[in-house]
């Protein structure tokens, strides 16, 4: 019998951490692996995968020979991103109030693996009635049953009391699978008080609860849009104001140390290396602000780092870094620190493409106090209506109080009495991420993780607000001679 290769593949995040191994498939040069590997996906982190191929037959080492192809694809668990909308009413609940009827409300609990229950929803209180009709509510399926359609859902019914000592009326159990049947005889539940049932032989129930309506809708995720072809356009804007210090001196924030990157370069590389993988052509506009330009010394707050006004695009993150270094040799650091021009620059591009096919991320790296606060706030409020987000990284030791205001996490930013439609700004001071041991790789990873963590939610908030659904993902590539592809 002829001896064949026996393919097997090992997967790891790093040299230290293995997470899976395929099954072995005998006697084939075109293995179709079946075993799936489920990985957590984080937009804000660089997740490197290593694939180790082990063949249980010695290789002869033939130069130029193609050894085969592996096709990989990733998928999200679909049943955990649905949201269910439902409405209930009750009939003939027990009377609990001496001077009135009852003020009923319901509490929903998800059962856990260890048999305990976790509260996941509470209805509003309907006053003075034994036949309440509660408002419909929407809840993620994950919160209701963690994606397990047969997991027990417990519902308790209470009579509300002002002092918080709510009176227990009764309870019933159901499951997502039962609720999904919708309004029917199967979704009329007897509300039972176990203590009353034990004490009274003729006890039947403490009323009934009926499901009036049930619908489920799939929540689209950031990955759905990316798989559907949405591009993330990355633009960087760098502060060239004089407060950064003379670039030729080691005290300057723009100083080009031949042995390590400055804070501007580290912030750019940390954020850019994650975002660049979501842009197919990897050509990025790079701008500067707050400098005097040659040959006439005019001050600009929106100049291309590569010197080409018609085409400010740089090839990849390395191209941006190269243009940044060249600009330091040709422009004169000046001032003031104006953000509005670069925000409006990106907003013009975002305004031209509002169909969900593109989303714009502006990274502003700055060292100081903003000079055009009112104009910048107006630009951000206007930009919040567009498919764009803004990341501001503060470098150096200045106070960044104004940046915190722009961030809008605590108080939504406003301009001329108009609130921003969405929160689109994320600010962080780079000094908070500097590793004490001097490990710049770790510093950059921490920075990228924090500043990019909000982008998917900001992205989804825009798409939802405009009712934009993702395009269908293209069919997976199948090489000639294969009818299946492998999923992990």
């Amino acid at each position: 019998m002829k001896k064949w290769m026996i393919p097997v593949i090992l997967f790891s995040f790093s040299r230290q951490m293995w997470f899976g191994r395929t099954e072995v498939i005998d006697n084939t040069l075109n293995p179709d692996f079946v075993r799936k590997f489920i990985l957590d996906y984080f937009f804000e982190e660089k997740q490197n995968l290593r694939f180790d191929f082990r063949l249980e037959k010695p290789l002869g080492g033939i130069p130029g020979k193609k050894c085969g192809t592996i096709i990989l694809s990733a998928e999200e668990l679909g049943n955990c991103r649905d949201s269910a909308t439902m409405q209930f009413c009750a009939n003939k609940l027990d009377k609990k109030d001496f001077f009135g009827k009852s003020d009923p409300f319901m509490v929903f609990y998800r059962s856990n693996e260890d048999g305990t229950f976790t509260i996941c929803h509470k209805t509003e209180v309907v006053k003075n009635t034994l036949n309440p009709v509660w408002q419909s509510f929407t809840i993620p399926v994950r919160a209701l049953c963690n994606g397990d359609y047969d997991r027990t859902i417990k519902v308790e019914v209470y009579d509300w009391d002002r002092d918080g000592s709510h009176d227990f009326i009764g309870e019933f159990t159901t499951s997502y699978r039962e609720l999904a049947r919708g309004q029917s005889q199967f979704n009329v539940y007897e509300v039972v008080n176990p203590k009353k049932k034990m004490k009274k032989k003729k006890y039947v129930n403490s009323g009934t609860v009926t499901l009036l309506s049930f619908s489920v809708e799939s929540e689209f995720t950031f990955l759905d849009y990316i798989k559907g072809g949405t591009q993330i356009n990355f633009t960087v804007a760098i502060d060239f104001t004089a407060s950064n210090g003379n670039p030729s001196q080691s005290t300057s924030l723009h100083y080009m140390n031949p042995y390590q990157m400055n804070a501007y370069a580290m912030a750019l590389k940390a954020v850019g290396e994650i975002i660049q993988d979501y842009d197919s052509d990897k050509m990025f506009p790079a701008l500067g602000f707050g400098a005097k330009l040659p040959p006439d010394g005019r001050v600009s707050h929106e100049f291309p780092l590569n010197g080409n006004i018609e085409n400010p695009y740089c090839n990849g993150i390395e191209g941006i870094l190269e243009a940044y270094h060249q600009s330091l040799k040709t422009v004169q650091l000046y001032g003031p620190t104006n953000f509005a021009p670069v925000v409006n620059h990106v907003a013009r591009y975002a305004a031209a493409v509002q169909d969900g096919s593109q989303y714009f991320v502006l990274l502003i790296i700055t060292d100081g106090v903003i000079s055009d606060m009112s104009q910048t706030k107006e630009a951000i409020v206007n930009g919040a209506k567009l498919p764009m987000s803004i990341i501001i990284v503060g470098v150096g030791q200045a106070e960044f109080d104004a940046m915190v205001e722009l961030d809008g996490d605590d108080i939504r930013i406003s301009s001329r009495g108009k609130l921003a439609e969405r929160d689109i700004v994320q600010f962080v001071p780079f000094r908070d991420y500097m590793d004490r041991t001097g490990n710049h790789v770790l510093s950059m990873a921490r920075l990228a993780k924090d500043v990019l963590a909000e982008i998917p939610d900001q992205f989804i908030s825009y798409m939802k607000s405009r009712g934009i659904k993702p395009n269908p993902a293209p069919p997976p590539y199948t090489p000639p001679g294969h009818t299946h592809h492998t999923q992990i």
Side-chain angles (χ1 to χ4, degrees):
M1 177 180 174
K2 189 173 182 179
K3 195 148 177 83
W4 293 88
M5 297 177 177
I6 305 177
V8 63
I9 305 171
L10 304 175
F11 300 87
S12 72
F13 275 121
S14 66
R15 293 183 180 178
Q16 291 78 23
M17 185 177 132
W18 293 95
F19 69 84
R21 168 180 170 156
T22 68
E23 72 278 18
V24 174
I25 300 179
D26 291 337
N27 297 339
T28 180
L29 298 177
N30 299 300
D32 224 347
F33 298 106
V34 174
R35 186 168 299 160
K36 297 180 181 180
F37 300 93
I38 298 172
L39 311 178
D40 289 328
Y41 162 77
F42 300 99
F43 167 77
E44 67 273 15
E45 294 181 21
K46 191 172 186 177
Q47 294 173 278
N48 293 318
L49 295 179
R50 192 177 104 200
F51 304 94
D52 283 8
F53 297 80
R54 184 192 302 158
L55 302 175
E56 295 185 3
K57 178 184 177 183
L59 294 174
I62 305 172
K65 180 176 173 63
K66 292 184 178 180
C67 296
T69 303
I70 179 170
I71 309 300
L72 305 172
S73 66
E75 66 175 359
E76 289 182 279
L77 294 179
N79 63 351
C80 285
R81 53 192 179 98
D82 291 344
S83 286
T85 300
M86 58 192 86
Q87 185 179 21
F88 292 87
C89 69
N91 189 42
K92 297 181 180 179
L93 294 177
D94 284 354
K95 179 176 178 295
K96 291 290 184 178
D97 293 342
F98 186 76
F99 292 109
K101 296 179 180 179
S102 283
D103 305 318
F105 68 94
M106 294 195 296
V107 182
F108 288 72
Y109 297 88
R110 177 184 70 244
S111 61
N112 302 315
E113 297 282 354
D114 60 1
T116 60
F117 288 88
T118 301
I119 186 171
C120 59
H121 181 74
K122 187 183 292 185
T123 70
E124 79 281 8
V125 175
V126 182
K127 293 291 190 73
N128 196 32
T129 180
L130 302 181
N131 304 296
V133 178
W134 289 284
Q135 295 176 13
S136 63
F137 63 90
T138 301
I139 183 171
V141 172
R142 178 178 293 177
L144 195 62
C145 65
N146 203 29
D148 180 354
Y149 292 174
D150 297 305
R151 184 173 294 196
T152 299
I153 298 168
K154 183 171 72 171
V155 184
E156 294 178 343
V157 185
Y158 289 91
D159 168 45
W160 177 84
D161 285 331
R162 189 180 301 277
D163 62 3
S165 59
H166 311 308
D167 300 315
F168 179 69
I169 294 176
E171 64 186 18
F172 64 92
T173 61
T174 183
S175 68
Y176 179 85
R177 194 176 299 280
E178 287 294 320
L179 293 172
R181 291 184 175 190
Q183 186 180 27
S184 70
Q185 63 190 48
F186 302 105
N187 279 315
V188 178
Y189 301 95
E190 289 191 344
V191 178
V192 175
N193 186 321
K195 289 184 178 179
K196 277 191 173 184
K197 190 174 183 179
M198 288 180 64
K199 290 179 181 179
K200 298 180 180 180
K201 290 184 179 180
K202 293 185 178 181
Y203 175 82
V204 178
N205 59 49
S206 295
T208 60
V209 168
T210 300
L211 176 67
L212 292 177
S213 64
F214 181 94
S215 62
V216 63
E217 188 172 303
S218 185
E219 290 285 325
F220 295 117
T221 67
F222 176 74
L223 274 183
D224 288 328
Y225 290 92
I226 297 302
K227 288 190 290 185
T230 298
Q231 293 283 305
I232 305 294
N233 295 291
F234 177 54
T235 301
V236 62
I238 295 178
D239 183 337
F240 281 81
T241 56
S243 55
N244 284 279
N246 188 334
S248 64
Q249 297 178 358
S250 61
T251 54
S252 171
L253 292 168
H254 282 306
Y255 179 64
M256 303 309 301
N257 187 323
Y259 303 106
Q260 70 177 50
M261 291 184 290
N262 63 31
Y264 278 92
M266 281 196 283
L268 167 60
K269 195 173 177 69
V271 177
E273 284 195 340
I274 302 292
I275 290 187
Q276 69 175 349
D277 291 331
Y278 297 86
D279 188 310
S280 58
D281 66 8
K282 293 181 173 44
M283 297 295 292
F284 307 114
L287 309 172
F289 58 92
K292 284 186 173 181
L293 307 185
D296 56 359
R298 67 180 180 87
V299 177
S300 174
H301 298 289
E302 183 190 346
F303 65 89
L305 295 188
N306 64 6
N308 188 340
I309 296 175
E310 300 298 324
N311 183 15
Y313 292 85
C314 298
N315 188 1
I317 302 307
E318 293 305 319
I320 298 177
L321 287 170
E322 183 180 342
Y324 162 57
H325 296 160
Q326 287 300 317
S327 287
L328 288 173
K329 299 175 184 176
T330 58
V331 305
Q332 179 188 344
L333 273 59
Y334 198 67
T337 307
N338 290 351
F339 284 4
V342 292
V343 173
N344 288 327
H345 176 98
V346 174
R348 285 194 296 272
Y349 285 91
V353 191
Q354 300 186 54
D355 60 357
S357 63
Q358 298 185 50
Y359 193 85
F360 296 78
V361 177
L362 168 63
L363 169 64
I364 299 175
I365 313 175
T366 183
D367 83 311
V369 178
I370 186 170
S371 306
D372 64 339
M373 188 64 170
S374 61
Q375 293 93 329
T376 297
K377 288 168 73 172
E378 183 174 6
I380 291 171
V381 169
N382 292 333
K385 304 172 186 175
L386 303 172
M388 66 180 287
S389 292
I390 302 168
I391 298 167
I392 305 173
V393 177
V395 297
Q397 301 305 313
E399 292 299 321
F400 294 111
D401 293 348
M403 307 303 173
V404 175
E405 183 182 348
L406 294 179
D407 191 302
D409 280 347
D410 298 322
I411 301 173
R412 182 69 60 87
I413 192 172
S414 64
S415 174
R416 300 186 185 184
K418 287 171 53 181
L419 277 175
E421 190 176 299
R422 301 181 295 129
D423 175 15
I424 65 169
V425 179
Q426 169 77 338
F427 165 74
V428 295
F430 193 25
R431 59 180 176 240
D432 291 355
Y433 298 87
M434 295 301 292
D435 183 68
R436 293 178 182 176
T437 64
N439 185 335
H440 295 311
V441 174
L442 189 58
S443 300
M444 291 162 65
R446 287 173 177 167
L447 174 72
K449 183 174 181 179
D450 266 21
V451 300
L452 292 173
E454 293 186 11
I455 297 294
D457 285 343
Q458 293 174 358
F459 175 102
I460 289 295
S461 73
Y462 174 79
M463 298 300 181
K464 267 189 166 182
S465 69
R466 298 299 182 269
I468 299 172
K469 295 183 178 181
N471 292 323
Y477 168 73
T478 303
H482 276 66
T483 55
H484 303 331
H485 67 286
T486 305
Q487 295 178 325
I488 64 165

